[in-house]
Amino acid sequence: MKRNYLLGGALLLGLAELTVPASAQTQITGAGSTFAAPIYTKWAEAASGATSIKLNYQAIGSGAGINQINNRTVDFGASDMPVKADDLTAHKLMQFPTVIGGVDIIVNIPGIKANELKLTGPVLAAIYMGKITKWNDPSITAINPGLKLPSTAIATVHRADGSGTTFVFTDYLSMQDADWKSKIGSSTSVSWPGGAGAKGSDGVSGTVHQITGGIGYVESAYAEQNKLTTTMLLNKAGKYVAPTMAAFEAAAAAADWSSVQNFAIDLNNEPGDASWPIESATFVLLPTDPKDVNQSAAVKKFFEWGFAHGNDTAKQLLYIPLPESVHNAIRAAWKGVPGTM
Amino acid sequence: MQQTVILPMSSAGGRRISIGDPIFAGLAFAAGFFVLLLLGSIILSLFFGGMPAFRAFGLSFLTSATWDPVHHVFGAAVSIYGTLLTSVLALIFAVPLAFGIAFFLTELAPDWMRRPVGTAVELLAAVPSIIYGMWGFFIIVPIMSQYIEPTLIDTFDGIPVLQDLFAGPPFGTGLFTAALILAVMVIPFISATMRDVFDTVPAVYKESAYGVGCTTWEVMRSIVLPYTRVSVVGGIMLGLGRALGETMAVTFVIGNSDQISSSLFGSGNTIASIVALEFPESPAGSLKLASLLALGFILFVISFIVLAISRYLLRPRLKA
Amino acid sequence: MSATTATAGSVPGPAKNQKISLALGRRRHRTNLIIKALCVLATLIGLVLLASILLTLIYLGGSGLTLNVFTSVTKPPGSNGGLLNAILGTLIQTSVGTLIGTPIGLMVGTYLAEYGRHSTLANSIRFVSDVLLSAPSILIGLFIYEICVEPFGGFSGVAGCLALAVIVIPIVVRTTEDMLQLIPPSLREAAVALGAPKWKMIVLICYRAAKDGIATGVLLAVARIAGETAPLLFTSLGNSSALGSMTTPMSSLPVTIYQYAGSAFQDWVQLAWVGALLITIGVLATNILARFALRGGR
């Protein structure tokens, strides 16, 4: 059958890429955050030559990543939400951040271009709670003098699937609005008061793109890659900032990493004139009692490579690398996990 | 003519039973029993996995419309409503179209057209459901959002009940769109059953009706449909069964809302879609995971009921 | 025999009044035409839908269909990756899943057609098989996760194959039973009359007679599982850089499509459509093949 010939031909052509001398390469498996998938796979590709490590990373979602590492079905888990200290001890895990990413607010309002609209945290919370229903509501026009806002109804879009991005966004809203915090709270999946859900950040950007008056939240890589209409936000220092790389970096630099345990920093609403207020690190979870110390060593070696050589790649993919001081703190923390690199 | 085959006694004196017979019969029986065991295990594992949710919420789990992962309160009403609504709507859209196709292919189409057109329609059943999801999201949702939904919203504006049914921002995603996609997926199943069953009507009945001057439609309405009524309904139930369990196609287009919206254009959830969307983010052992498994169990119960009804209706045909 | 020349006195009403019966005739004729037009419209809608799906796939996926897709493995965005490992993974998991599920389905179908027939047990098994047929594949994936992934501490290709096998079984059961029931009793009686034991009659005569139909059923099952995503998400997980193996996570085309379709990076989205096109072509081709074989055999 023709299929056999094609199969045979493809096998021959791809043989070099598939068959790998078992002794030369270590295979590690990671699963979790969809947000981090591009950078981990990019690092893996670049690092495989230098470190002889082959990474299989599956973007199944932060919660699923935590599940899998708890069950020890993978070598490391990846989560956008930091895991609580009690859970870390209970499941014998060590947590460290790898890169930082921002969350942008996107809108679809006729006549409004990218980074023209200004919003604040409380206004955003009110919009998503359904308290503000039209774009020309006084609370929005008050902070946007000089912009012609139509009377179109606001159509809020949120993530339909459980997601770390939702956690970062709702965590920010909880900080900004006490009503939101008590009624809705923050998690990878919440009970949204109205609006439409869409699957994935691409779903959110697609849905916002389609409906006039739409507003949504997406990872900054999506906004950048697809040239979406982003908005400015008021930061803690009282300045309106646009979601640029510089703003993300300013927020990361302003963070006080020494104030938290297990690197569980919350990067939302960081001080600093230029800081972008909605941002989060993504974390990796490593067992402190690995069943195979070589695998554990390989994971550390892989991320060490990423910290040492992968900063430029991270920036290309629109992530923010961690400050070097944090890298050093992580290296120190790694010493507590069995397996020498 | 009898179907049962009686094994003869061997002519070489004394009963000689082939050793292969009991082994083969045993294998067949074991396989059948295995299938029973398989389904039983699946349902039991869902039931026991969902026990924490049943215990925590009791029967109100079925009627509660809250799905709050932050405060750990879960209820099945939104998902059950979405499942039943999208499936029933899908049937409302699919049955007339499937009937039209079956009628066309059995009575109206010239012979040379029957097989290619019939195969083409049945190919709709072969398209993988993730493709339906992608096609639905990239092609149908924009059309709904830009043309169909605004038109319907404007048309029914001002009419009391219909105005609320067709209201809301035209997102393009939502229960209505999900029902449309499901309808497209289900049409080939129903039309194939209808075709098979329309073809079984004895020609003499139709000929006598044509003989007294009935038009083609009158023959269909008065002779063919009543004759095949039971099997047609059985086929529709099979389509319903498929629509109830569809995951991937619905996940892309249903949005995800934890409220029962009065508008058909509102977002919602079906049981299958909420499991697909929320399972990855459910920590093991959590109440959320138990609620999802409980929802899976409820879906099996609904499927059971639907299939039992369809079996009961199709039984005369199977025996014929 | 027209409506106006019925036997005298037996047809009441309009038939006796020429004008009314002509008017009624015109109305009936018109209704008939309208319904016929609606039916043609319905068929056209069905064909347009199919065309829309195929055209979307060809338009969005066709442009990315290069040789590289078949010769490179999946790579990170911007690295000019292909779908080789995903394609091979799907081929392997589909074949193994079919290999596991078909014999079981065959035996169950044989039991239903030859041994149990209409007994209560057989009816229950038939019903259960139909329930499995319409079961949401995501729940089957969850079940296999609970018995095959968690206890063994890892995702594996074999778990994916098992999940697919569970989907194959009810399809093969139904086809086998239908095909075996179509075999004329005279064939069976002839075999038994010559002294064949029952199992030989089934294996050597019935299976051989029904083999085309059964093969068609198997092909339809293959087409079905080739496109399944949900059961693989929790069993073989997928592999982002290599093929994987039976004991480690294995890549597959539907899972890769599912992950790529939602990405921010255009090259991954393009690959998702290419993968969608490949799967659909494969599945449709298998279906058409199966139908030709079936109709040729009857």
Side-chain angles (χ1 to χ4, degrees), chain B residues 155-167 262:
Chain B
T155 319
F156 291 117
D157 197 17
I159 308 174
V161 171
L162 292 172
Q163 167 183 272
D164 294 321
L165 265 185
F166 295 95
S262 60

Side-chain angles (χ1 to χ4, degrees), chain C residues 6-291:
Chain C
T7 53
S10 66
V11 182
K16 289 204 172 149
N17 184 332
Q18 273 268 22
K19 248 194 205 155
I20 296 180
S21 73
L22 276 174
L24 275 177
R26 274 199 300 277
R27 191 203 324 156
R28 287 166 52 220
H29 185 64
R30 217 174 357 171
T31 320
N32 190 40
L33 276 177
I34 294 175
I35 303 269
K36 275 191 188 176
L38 285 175
C39 289
V40 173
L41 184 67
T43 313
L44 279 174
I45 291 178
L47 293 174
V48 162
L49 287 169
L50 180 68
S52 162
I53 296 175
L54 291 176
L55 284 173
T56 311
L57 287 171
I58 294 174
Y59 179 68
L60 287 171
S63 46
L65 198 60
T66 61
L67 192 61
N68 189 43
V69 168
F70 295 101
T71 55
S72 306
V73 293
T74 50
K75 290 195 185 139
S79 304
N80 200 26
L83 293 171
L84 176 60
N85 52 335
I87 296 173
L88 285 178
T90 291
L91 286 173
I92 293 176
Q93 287 179 76
T94 310
S95 325
V96 176
T98 314
L99 276 173
I100 299 178
T102 304
I104 301 177
L106 199 61
M107 291 311 286
V108 178
T110 312
Y111 174 77
L112 292 177
E114 305 288 336
Y115 293 95
R117 263 176 240 118
H118 295 296
S119 66
T120 327
L121 181 63
N123 282 336
S124 320
I125 295 179
R126 215 173 269 124
F127 180 66
V128 160
S129 173
D130 277 345
V131 173
L132 267 179
L133 191 61
S134 346
S137 50
I138 192 168
L139 295 178
I140 295 178
L142 282 182
F143 173 69
I144 301 287
Y145 173 81
E146 274 171 43
I147 61 168
C148 197
V149 174
E150 249 190 86
F152 295 97
F155 296 99
S156 54
V158 74
C161 299
L162 285 178
L164 293 181
V166 171
I167 301 178
V168 163
I169 290 175
I171 304 177
V172 176
V173 166
R174 183 169 251 221
T175 332
T176 310
E177 193 197 346
D178 284 345
M179 289 300 125
L180 286 178
Q181 277 180 342
L182 282 176
I183 295 173
S186 48
L187 263 176
R188 301 169 203 264
E189 285 164 10
V192 170
L194 291 172
K198 184 163 182 179
W199 74 274
K200 270 197 181 158
M201 170 197 71
I202 296 176
V203 174
L204 297 176
I205 305 296
C206 293
Y207 281 173
R208 209 172 278 177
K211 77 169 183 296
D212 283 335
I214 296 178
T216 310
V218 171
L219 275 175
L220 289 174
V222 166
R224 165 95 193 262
I225 59 173
E228 284 286 341
T229 320
L232 294 178
L233 281 173
F234 309 122
T235 50
S236 58
L237 189 65
N239 198 314
S240 60
S241 56
L243 176 60
S245 72
M246 278 301 169
T247 51
T248 62
M250 189 186 270
S251 69
S252 61
L253 205 44
V255 171
T256 309
I257 294 173
Y258 185 66
Q259 287 170 349
Y260 279 15
S263 117
F265 300 95
Q266 276 316 300
D267 55 348
W268 268 11
V269 174
Q270 169 80 83
L271 273 178
W273 284 105
V274 174
L277 178 65
L278 287 176
I279 278 199
T280 311
I281 290 180
V283 164
L284 290 186
T286 313
N287 256 277
I288 296 177
L289 200 78
R291 276 164 215 285

Side-chain angles (χ1 to χ4, degrees), chain B residues 18-307:
Chain B
S18 163
I19 190 71
D21 260 347
I23 295 180
F24 193 77
L27 274 176
F29 177 75
F33 195 67
F34 171 74
V35 166
L36 273 180
L37 205 67
L38 187 61
L39 185 72
S41 330
I42 296 179
I43 296 184
L44 277 177
S45 77
L46 284 175
F47 181 69
F48 284 121
M51 271 306 276
F54 287 128
R55 237 183 273 133
F57 304 114
L59 268 177
S60 71
F61 182 68
L62 291 170
T63 50
S64 154
T66 323
W67 186 272
D68 192 339
V70 178
H71 300 111
H72 300 293
V73 179
F74 303 103
V78 178
S79 311
I80 295 180
Y81 169 75
T83 308
L84 293 175
L85 180 72
T86 51
S87 305
V88 168
L89 260 186
L91 283 184
I92 293 177
F93 296 137
V95 169
L97 279 175
F99 170 73
I101 295 173
F103 188 12
F104 177 77
L105 286 173
T106 51
E107 301 284 336
L108 306 174
D111 267 332
W112 57 268
M113 206 191 264
R114 275 186 204 172
R115 194 182 289 183
V117 173
T119 311
V121 170
E122 278 166 31
L123 281 181
L124 276 175
V127 175
S129 53
I130 189 173
I131 312 291
Y132 270 111
M134 290 165 74
W135 170 74
F137 187 72
F138 283 97
I139 305 292
I140 300 295
V141 165
I143 296 177
M144 290 295 292
S145 166
Q146 277 153 31
Y147 303 111
I148 301 187
E149 283 184 15
T151 318
L152 284 173
I153 292 175
D154 290 334
T155 319
F156 291 117
D157 197 17
I159 308 174
V161 171
L162 292 172
Q163 167 183 272
D164 294 321
L165 265 185
F166 295 95
F171 282 108
T173 54
L175 293 165
F176 193 79
T177 312
L180 279 182
I181 308 284
L182 279 179
V184 177
M185 298 179 80
V186 155
I187 285 173
F189 289 94
I190 303 180
S191 83
T193 312
M194 283 184 174
R195 273 178 72 198
D196 286 342
V197 130
F198 287 172
D199 278 335
T200 64
V201 177
V204 65
Y205 290 171
K206 294 196 276 189
E207 282 161 12
S208 15
Y210 283 123
V212 299
C214 286
T215 61
T216 324
W217 162 238
E218 283 164 359
V219 169
M220 171 62 69
R221 187 187 66 190
S222 325
I223 307 290
V224 178
L225 276 179
Y227 186 86
T228 59
R229 176 186 56 217
V230 166
S231 307
V232 162
V233 174
I236 294 175
M237 299 296 246
L238 279 173
L240 178 61
R242 171 87 205 254
L244 284 173
E246 185 46 54
T247 316
M248 277 297 142
V250 170
T251 307
F252 277 78
V253 300
I254 196 152
N256 180 336
S257 167
D258 304 314
Q259 288 126 26
I260 296 182
S261 159
S262 60
S263 164
L264 288 177
F265 294 143
S267 300
N269 253 320
T270 64
I271 295 179
S273 80
I274 200 175
V275 171
L277 289 171
E278 303 245 1
F279 180 78
E281 292 290 331
S282 307
S286 66
L287 199 53
K288 184 165 161 195
L289 182 64
S291 307
L292 290 175
L293 293 174
L295 277 174
F297 174 75
I298 294 174
L299 185 58
F300 261 111
V301 170
I302 299 178
S303 293
F304 243 90
I305 296 173
V306 166
L307 270 166

